Amino acid sequence: MDAPADPRASWSLPALGELPRTAELEPLVTRVLAPNPSGMTLDGTNTYVVGAPGSGQAVLVDPGPDDPAHLAAVEAVLAARDARCVAVLVTHHHGDHAEAALPWGSHFGAPVAAGSAQVAGPGGRVLDHGDRLRQAGTTLDVVATPGHTSDHLAFRLESGAVLVGDHVLGRGTSVVTHPEGDVVAYLESLRRVHDLGPSALYCGHGPELTEDPGAVLGYYLAHRAYREHQLLAALGRGPAGVDDLVAEIYAQVPRAVWPAAAQSTRATLDKLVAEGRVVWWGADESDADRVRLA
């Protein structure tokens, strides 16, 4: 099996580090980039200000880090829109998306809504798949997208664009964290978003994907299948440890991201174990990270 081609490779996307601090993506949406770039967050966390022009209201999606400069940038966008924040929505509980949710909700006097009670906080709202939020002169449909984390949500806009959080990234591929991640659920969620026929994907990190969102989702599915193929091929040469598998499969990837790659590898191995295709192997705890073909 050959590695799938990433359709974004031929697109005119901003280079890493060149994403604008603020950008109006469509009349309903302005993106505000948080100042938290890293190997995992790429350019930083994307916070989205969503609301119909002239409504005087907006909702914030993924406020990100509780950073004064980031809050000031978001408030400047609200002022430019002549809008007040009426709700804070969060795609999932990871700190680079959720840290500011409760502090900013308190600051703006706005309720917080998320997929878990821990993030929504006291008086907040726990969202479920199929919920419809009518706020800020528009409608957002809640789409459950577990896999990256169990509480992950996406939000479909009236325009057809989908705010996908960390389910899909503007660059590279998303990590399915271990042990909280679930590759089977992640693949089902990719298909669920694909079936929506999104007009654009507004990602938690990296640039927006507008040219052919369906092709990116197809690539994500093919990429996961390719990683499974690589693991099974490697194990066909004999039992191996997780670290050994990562070193082989991700040899061309910077070592700084190998810990994240190890998480995705463990999550994929759990899927293969559940399918009866591989087994964890070893008589004691020292062999707990070794795996072989079934």
Side-chain angles (χ1 to χ4, degrees):
M1 176 185 289
D2 295 328
D6 187 342
R8 295 166 296 182
S10 61
W11 297 2
S12 297
L13 298 176
L16 182 64
E18 295 183 2
L19 203 63
R21 183 65 183 276
T22 62
E24 185 173 332
L25 305 186
E26 59 175 270
L28 281 174
V29 184
T30 301
R31 184 190 65 230
V32 186
L33 178 63
N36 63 333
S38 73
M40 292 300 295
T41 61
L42 306 179
D43 309 77
T45 300
N46 292 326
T47 296
Y48 294 96
V49 181
V50 181
S55 68
Q57 299 180 345
V59 299
L60 303 183
V61 180
D62 281 354
D66 188 15
D67 178 88
H70 187 42
L71 176 58
V74 168
E75 289 184 315
V77 168
L78 290 169
R81 285 173 161 262
D82 193 23
R84 63 183 180 87
C85 173
V86 295
V88 177
L89 310 181
V90 185
T91 59
H92 64 296
H93 70 268
H94 285 168
D96 58 314
H97 294 257
E99 180 185 71
L102 293 178
W104 287 19
S106 177
H107 174 78
F108 289 115
V112 177
S116 71
Q118 177 186 5
V119 176
R125 177 178 176 182
V126 177
L127 298 172
D128 292 316
H129 178 69
D131 285 346
R132 174 162 287 184
L133 308 176
R134 294 181 174 87
Q135 293 178 303
T138 189
T139 300
L140 298 88
D141 290 322
V142 178
V143 183
T145 50
H148 175 72
T149 62
S150 61
D151 65 337
H152 201 288
L153 303 173
F155 300 97
R156 187 177 189 274
L157 307 180
E158 288 182 343
S159 65
V162 181
L163 304 170
V164 286
D166 279 359
H167 191 62
V168 179
L169 304 181
R171 314 177 195 281
T173 54
S174 182
V175 174
V176 178
T177 55
H178 179 88
E180 66 176 344
D182 183 320
V183 170
V184 174
Y186 182 75
L187 295 172
E188 291 174 350
S189 295
L190 283 173
R191 297 185 186 99
R192 176 176 287 169
V193 175
H194 186 280
D195 289 347
L196 294 175
S199 61
L201 300 174
Y202 297 156
C203 309
H205 305 281
E208 63 276 9
L209 304 175
T210 60
E211 190 166 330
D212 192 346
V216 177
L217 292 163
Y219 164 72
Y220 263 53
L221 287 164
H223 172 78
R224 287 289 167 186
Y226 178 65
R227 288 298 189 218
E228 285 190 19
H229 168 78
Q230 287 181 296
L231 285 170
L232 292 169
L235 292 172
R237 295 186 285 275
V242 171
D243 290 343
D244 295 329
L245 291 168
V246 169
E248 177 179 344
I249 293 171
Y250 293 87
Q252 304 304 315
V253 175
R255 291 182 67 96
V257 302
W258 282 14
Q263 289 195 41
S264 278
T265 297
R266 289 175 183 275
T268 302
L269 289 171
D270 281 348
K271 172 182 181 290
L272 295 173
V273 168
E275 293 171 347
R277 302 168 75 183
V278 304
V279 294
W280 292 107
W281 175 71
D284 55 47
E285 291 185 1
S286 65
D287 286 330
D289 281 349
R290 291 180 65 78
V291 67
R292 62 173 174 82
L293 293 179

